[in-house]
Amino acid sequence: MNAKKYKILAALTLLITVAAVVTAGPVRDYVSAGNALYSEQKFNEAISQYDNALVESPNAYQAKFNKANCRFQLDDMASAIDLFKQVAVGTKDMELVEKAKYNLGNCFFTKAEKLKESDLKKAVEQYESAIDHWRQVLDLNRENVNAAKNIEVARLIIKDIIDKINKQKQEQDKQQEKMKQLLEKMKKLLDRQKEQADANDKLQKDSKSDKLPKEEVAKKCDDLAKEQNELKDDTTKVADEVGQMAQTAQPQPGQQQVAPNENPLDQALLEMDSAVIDQAGAAQELSIRKADKAKKSQDDAAQHIQNAIESLSQKQKQDQQQQQQQDQQDQEDQQQDQQQGQDQQQPEEQSKDDQQQQDQRSQDDQQQAQQEQEQAPDATAQQILEDEEDRQKRQQKQIRQRRVEKDW
């Protein structure tokens, strides 16, 4: 089953039919005014009205809930999450608790969608947080079909991402192995080039000491020229492999693009190409009996190969360091998540104590409250991913979406 076959459950549970007790008078008026502004997508103005309601009655959790919805629409996920959590912990209206937890799942889902472009592992963490909150919804109401289907979709997306992460890891492992093999080939080329230069040097010394007749010197020069050409061809093949690696080595999500003059692979390729040029020159010079000039070209070629080895070794070291840093960061994130899970219990307990005190202080006000159900403006919120879709369309990407409550 492929997550792409699903339309993401994206609609936020917004401006619900208020089932909680709404204090009569100013609070009700402020909430109604905020709802009207929300329906006009005037989210900041709506927040002001909800804040007025909360000044009158801090326990007006429907106002706090709708304020969280405004924060969500303004893409202020941190504030939205904080407000939804306050509602989930503070209100005694279990229907509102269910909706707050559902919207918390949507908030984390939205964060995950944005992180997919920069950090796949952190995106998975946010998807898992979304699933956790939707599971809490099902604990409260096993009949909440939307939460169940959201969990299913999020799981499929996580599976796709994990498959992508594993594929990237396999590609990285292949890249590392190929880099190791390239380094071995380049070291052998360097040894052969040094041997060629030494043989040339010995030939020049023998020629000057008249140990060899001119015919023998000429023959040896031709042999050295042939061997130098063969070495040049082998160096060209390795240079092509370095070029292929440089083209396929794309930055991973979250990594910065590196300028060509700062990229070790590009530097290694440049050095190998220079080595090929010097080797061709050495072979030509040997063929016309200019062994002294050929020796300089051979030495230059060896130096270029050495430089290429150093650049490739630098790339290998960088990759290893990045992997170690990533592993360490993953371990720290895991420990931090565990600590946050342990610390979360204490603030929730404290919030419940504070809420009991607030309930006692506002008991007289609530005795004057009237039970009512106020139908909020008939304006459903846009899907969680709709804004993301608009942004990605500008990048030639398309995401199909639909509302949660109507399309599933």
Side-chain angles (χ1 to χ4, degrees):
M1 191 177 294
N2 192 323
K4 294 181 180 179
K5 295 181 181 179
Y6 285 90
K7 296 187 186 303
I8 303 303
L9 295 180
L12 201 64
T13 304
L14 286 173
L15 294 172
I16 59 170
T17 298
V18 179
V21 174
V22 180
T23 304
V27 173
R28 175 185 172 184
D29 294 339
Y30 285 135
V31 171
S32 297
N35 290 347
L37 289 166
Y38 184 93
S39 68
E40 298 174 6
Q41 299 187 359
K42 296 178 180 179
F43 302 120
N44 284 312
E45 290 90 335
I47 287 173
S48 296
Q49 295 299 322
Y50 296 137
D51 282 338
N52 289 336
L54 290 168
V55 170
E56 292 290 333
S57 175
N59 294 326
Y61 283 103
Q62 65 274 29
K64 186 171 290 189
F65 178 81
N66 286 353
K67 177 182 176 181
N69 293 330
C70 290
R71 288 297 181 191
F72 178 92
Q73 293 295 343
L74 293 170
D75 201 28
D76 185 359
M77 289 301 138
S79 296
I81 288 172
D82 182 60
L83 289 165
F84 282 133
K85 284 183 176 180
Q86 290 179 37
V87 173
V89 171
T91 185
K92 294 180 179 180
D93 180 354
M94 297 312 296
E95 182 181 355
L96 195 58
V97 171
E98 177 186 343
K99 293 179 183 297
K101 288 182 179 292
Y102 181 87
N103 284 4
L104 277 168
N106 287 348
C107 287
F108 285 108
F109 185 91
T110 302
K111 290 179 66 177
E113 283 293 301
K114 294 179 179 179
L115 280 168
K116 278 200 302 186
E117 296 182 3
S118 59
D119 194 323
L120 292 176
K121 290 185 178 180
K122 289 189 180 298
V124 169
E125 293 174 3
Q126 297 300 314
Y127 283 122
E128 289 174 343
S129 294
I131 289 174
D132 179 63
H133 285 88
W134 288 326
R135 281 176 178 163
Q136 293 177 39
V137 171
L138 293 179
D139 289 340
L140 296 170
N141 178 12
R142 302 302 299 177
E143 302 302 320
N144 193 315
V145 178
N146 291 338
K149 289 192 174 291
N150 275 353
I151 290 173
E152 183 180 2
V153 172
R155 282 175 173 169
L156 289 170
I157 295 175
I158 288 175
K159 181 181 181 301
D160 287 345
I161 291 178
I162 290 176
D163 289 344
K164 186 174 182 179
I165 291 174
N166 290 336
K167 185 177 180 181
Q168 287 180 352
K169 182 64 168 60
Q170 292 174 358
E171 291 298 324
Q172 289 172 358
D173 291 342
K174 289 180 181 178
Q175 188 92 338
Q176 285 292 323
E177 181 60 29
K178 188 172 183 179
M179 192 175 300
K180 182 179 178 181
Q181 294 173 358
L182 273 177
L183 281 170
E184 291 300 321
K185 291 180 181 179
M186 291 163 71
K187 289 175 181 178
K188 289 180 180 179
L189 290 175
L190 178 60
D191 290 340
R192 287 172 61 188
Q193 186 59 75
K194 288 181 177 180
E195 289 173 0
Q196 288 282 306
D198 290 342
N200 184 8
D201 190 52
K202 183 176 184 302
L203 179 61
Q204 290 183 63
K205 290 179 179 178
D206 291 343
S207 175
K208 290 178 181 179
S209 62
D210 295 330
K211 289 184 178 181
L212 294 175
K214 292 183 178 180
E215 293 79 5
E216 185 68 19
V217 171
K219 182 178 181 306
K220 285 186 176 295
C221 275
D222 290 339
D223 292 341
L224 285 176
K226 180 180 178 181
E227 292 174 3
Q228 187 66 68
N229 265 320
E230 291 174 353
L231 180 54
K232 179 207 64 170
D233 292 339
D234 292 340
T235 303
T236 300
K237 292 178 182 178
V238 174
D240 289 342
E241 291 185 50
V242 175
Q244 292 174 2
M245 179 176 287
Q247 290 179 353
T248 57
Q250 299 296 327
Q252 298 301 319
Q255 294 181 356
Q256 291 183 338
Q257 288 277 359
V258 180
N261 61 337
E262 298 177 357
N263 190 328
L265 282 174
D266 290 335
Q267 292 175 349
L269 177 59
L270 181 61
E271 294 289 350
M272 291 299 289
D273 287 342
S274 297
V276 170
I277 293 173
D278 285 329
Q279 288 172 338
Q284 176 65 24
E285 288 153 356
L286 284 168
S287 67
I288 59 176
R289 312 296 186 265
K290 294 184 178 180
D292 53 343
K293 291 185 177 180
K295 176 64 165 59
K296 182 180 184 307
S297 296
Q298 289 172 323
D299 289 340
D300 289 343
Q303 185 60 56
H304 285 305
I305 296 173
Q306 179 63 48
N307 293 342
I309 291 173
E310 292 174 359
S311 294
L312 203 60
S313 297
Q314 178 186 354
K315 171 62 175 172
Q316 186 181 47
K317 185 177 180 180
Q318 287 178 352
D319 290 345
Q320 291 172 348
Q321 288 176 343
Q322 288 178 357
Q323 186 59 49
Q324 291 174 356
Q325 291 173 357
Q326 184 62 54
D327 292 342
Q328 182 179 356
Q329 184 63 47
D330 291 343
Q331 185 177 1
E332 291 176 356
D333 290 343
Q334 185 177 5
Q335 292 175 351
Q336 185 177 4
D337 291 341
Q338 292 174 352
Q339 185 63 40
Q340 286 178 348
Q342 295 172 359
D343 294 343
Q344 187 175 5
Q345 298 177 354
Q346 183 175 356
E348 288 184 355
E349 293 175 356
Q350 182 64 41
S351 295
K352 290 180 180 178
D353 293 340
D354 294 341
Q355 178 57 34
Q356 289 176 357
Q357 295 175 7
Q358 289 180 357
D359 289 344
Q360 184 64 35
R361 288 195 299 267
S362 62
Q363 185 175 2
D364 294 339
D365 291 338
Q366 292 193 5
Q367 288 175 352
Q368 299 175 2
Q370 59 184 8
Q371 291 285 348
E372 65 176 23
Q373 289 191 339
E374 175 189 348
Q375 180 64 45
D378 186 19
T380 58
Q382 298 301 314
Q383 304 163 350
I384 286 179
L385 299 179
E386 190 167 283
D387 289 340
E388 188 71 10
E389 178 182 331
D390 292 339
R391 184 176 66 82
Q392 291 187 358
K393 278 182 179 178
R394 293 194 295 269
Q395 302 174 348
Q396 304 303 316
K397 297 180 180 178
Q398 295 182 349
I399 301 176
R400 296 184 59 200
Q401 307 170 352
R402 63 168 64 171
R403 296 174 181 172
V404 178
E405 299 177 353
K406 294 184 178 180
D407 295 337
W408 278 97

